[in-house]
Amino acid sequence: MSQNEAASGSVDENTPLLAVSDAQKQHDLVYKRFSPSQKRLIVALVSWNGLLPLFVGGVFNVSIPELARDFDTTTDIVSLTISVSIVSAACGSLLGASHSTYYGRKPIYLLFLPVFIFGSFGVAFSRTVREMMFFRVIQAIGSSPGMSIGGASISDIYPLEQRGFAMGVFLAAVLLGPAVAPLAGGVAAYYSSWRTMQVILGLAGVVGLLSIIFLFPETSHPGTLGRDKARDAGKSGFTFVNPFKVLLVLKSPNILFVSITGLTTLLTDYVILVPLAETLQTKFGISNQAIIGLCFAPLGVGNIIGAPLAGYLSDRIVVTWREKRGSWYPEDRLRATLIGAAFLVPISTLAIGIIIDNIPGPLGLSLIMFGMFLNGIGVDTVLTPCGAYCVDILHHRSAEAMAATMAFRAGVIGIASSFLVPMVHSIGSGWTYAIVSLAAWFGALLMVLTIRYGQQLRDFNNIGYSTALTN
């Protein structure tokens, strides 16, 4: 291929790198709009707002027994709120992502954060379980774009070779939620009330909103937004973007397989965390909410370690294999997921279920905590490269790609998580965890197939993938 062809954009994943070097240099200028310090500030701001939805979930999980007592209901009913909020967050994420592609990242934050603040204060002052569920839905919708818009903003400012590590740092910061939230929620519940933590979350939303207003620049690439193209065509006014069209990216076998793997991987977190507070009370006699919250921390600590490690390794793998091949093969990044998907995630989940049913006392509790730590590392060694991969192959639709995969996961997990506590009550932890572990192994198989047949899968249904030149 000639350099003239490269300059015209007629390239694909198998184009020799030297042939696109001049055009690539021109494209790389878009990533130099912000200085390193500005990029770090952007990462910090999107991490704060990405932290909110996971922090909310972590606080809620540890408070399930107290919520049941406060509203005079059962833990099964309160756990249903988790499912409802997950599905609500999925819908909100689709709405935010679809409009961020048209209007930009910053307007979405400015629209959704006030909704989150309103929902948080509403939950804090709820008088009935119905009111609590209603405001929890509002809260979930308000926080929902944090992950997808945050991930898209990372892809806006970092090139391919740095994107995995940057995404890992973002996820590590975001995943402070699962590490810190249960302890914070437990301490608040024990020494004050679960409502106190909801007020604090509302105030955190205020901080996030002010930081976006005064410190956050628009990160979308110039001229790529839908409103820019509409203005060039002489159109004006508000345009509603169908949020569910975002899900059409799942027509890509690559995106679908990676989404299913992410789903089966993340489901192991939920099968561990959702029943954990009740398990600690009934199996190990722990009733102090602060101590229960502390017991959630190992999984979050594992998340924090796993995310940047996986991101760094996936970047190194991309560079190394690109040099070997002489061309960019997007699925090389997914090689970083295999140890976590095939070993750490399913084996740790299976082991925790067996331990809960068969090993009582301090030994059993210690082994569960260690298994949660390994699971946390494993989950993020899968999710971090998967997130970066989706952005790699659909860079021009990065927010939509992130939102579609997250909405798919959230929709299914929202339904599945409503059955987790009843399943534990019915067939025991061992069998429940074993079923989820088998699902995780199925996800690992799909990951292997995606790596092996990535090009064929993309050719099967080409939805407009990014190339070496446009990434």
Side-chain angles (χ1 to χ4, degrees), residues 332-468:
D332 283 334
R333 186 183 291 279
L334 298 178
R335 295 177 186 274
T337 68
L338 294 179
I339 293 177
F343 300 101
L344 287 178
V345 170
I347 292 176
S348 63
T349 305
L350 180 63
I352 290 171
I354 294 172
I355 292 166
I356 289 174
D357 280 352
N358 297 283
I359 305 179
L363 176 60
L365 183 60
S366 299
L367 291 174
I368 290 170
M369 297 299 102
F370 182 65
M372 289 173 63
F373 174 71
L374 293 180
N375 181 269
I377 293 177
V379 165
D380 268 16
T381 59
V382 177
L383 296 184
T384 302
C386 285
Y389 169 77
C390 291
V391 167
D392 288 346
I393 65 173
L394 287 174
H395 188 256
H396 59 298
R397 300 172 65 186
S398 54
E400 295 179 30
M402 292 283 288
T405 57
M406 290 177 184
F408 174 78
R409 291 199 306 252
V412 178
I413 287 175
I415 296 170
S417 61
S418 65
F419 295 99
L420 293 178
V421 173
M423 282 179 66
V424 169
H425 291 165
S426 177
I427 62 176
S429 297
W431 282 109
T432 302
Y433 286 43
I435 292 170
V436 175
S437 298
L438 287 174
W441 268 308
F442 174 72
L445 175 61
L446 290 181
M447 188 60 62
V448 172
L449 294 175
T450 304
I451 295 170
R452 176 65 180 83
Y453 300 106
Q455 181 66 58
Q456 293 93 319
L457 291 172
R458 277 179 279 126
D459 290 341
F460 178 78
N461 190 2
N462 191 332
I463 61 172
Y465 299 108
S466 300
T467 67

Side-chain angles (χ1 to χ4, degrees), residues 110-272:
L110 296 178
L111 176 65
F112 278 77
L113 280 170
V115 177
F116 169 77
I117 295 166
F118 174 71
S120 297
F121 287 118
V123 172
F125 297 104
S126 297
R127 294 163 298 179
T128 67
V129 70
R130 289 183 179 180
E131 283 187 11
M132 185 268 292
M133 284 187 174
F134 172 77
F135 284 111
R136 182 69 186 93
V137 167
I138 300 298
Q139 185 186 45
I141 292 173
S143 67
S144 59
M147 289 290 290
S148 59
I149 305 302
S153 298
I154 297 294
S155 75
D156 290 339
I157 63 176
Y158 285 101
L160 178 69
E161 301 82 5
Q162 302 172 17
R163 192 173 298 147
F165 181 68
M167 193 75 73
V169 171
F170 164 65
L171 288 176
V174 166
L175 290 165
L176 280 170
V180 177
L183 176 59
V187 169
Y190 186 75
Y191 292 103
S192 179
S193 167
W194 62 269
R195 299 176 187 273
T196 302
M197 201 64 234
Q198 296 298 320
V199 172
I200 293 173
L201 285 170
L203 296 176
V206 173
V207 172
L209 178 61
L210 293 175
S211 70
I212 293 296
I213 292 173
F214 294 109
L215 299 175
F216 185 75
E218 179 56 56
T219 61
S220 300
H221 292 185
T224 61
L225 294 177
R227 68 177 179 183
D228 297 334
K229 298 172 183 176
R231 184 171 56 246
D232 293 342
K235 299 178 181 178
S236 60
F238 174 75
T239 298
F240 178 78
V241 182
N242 182 358
F244 295 102
K245 286 185 67 175
V246 173
L247 294 174
L248 292 178
V249 303
L250 295 173
K251 290 168 58 179
S252 161
N254 305 67
I255 298 291
L256 180 61
F257 284 7
V258 166
S259 299
I260 293 174
T261 301
L263 160 67
T264 58
T265 298
L266 194 59
L267 188 59
T268 65
D269 266 6
Y270 279 84
V271 78
I272 294 169

Side-chain angles (χ1 to χ4, degrees), residues 5-18:
E5 288 172 306
S8 69
S10 178
V11 292
D12 59 26
E13 292 81 357
N14 296 315
T15 302
L17 296 181
L18 292 177

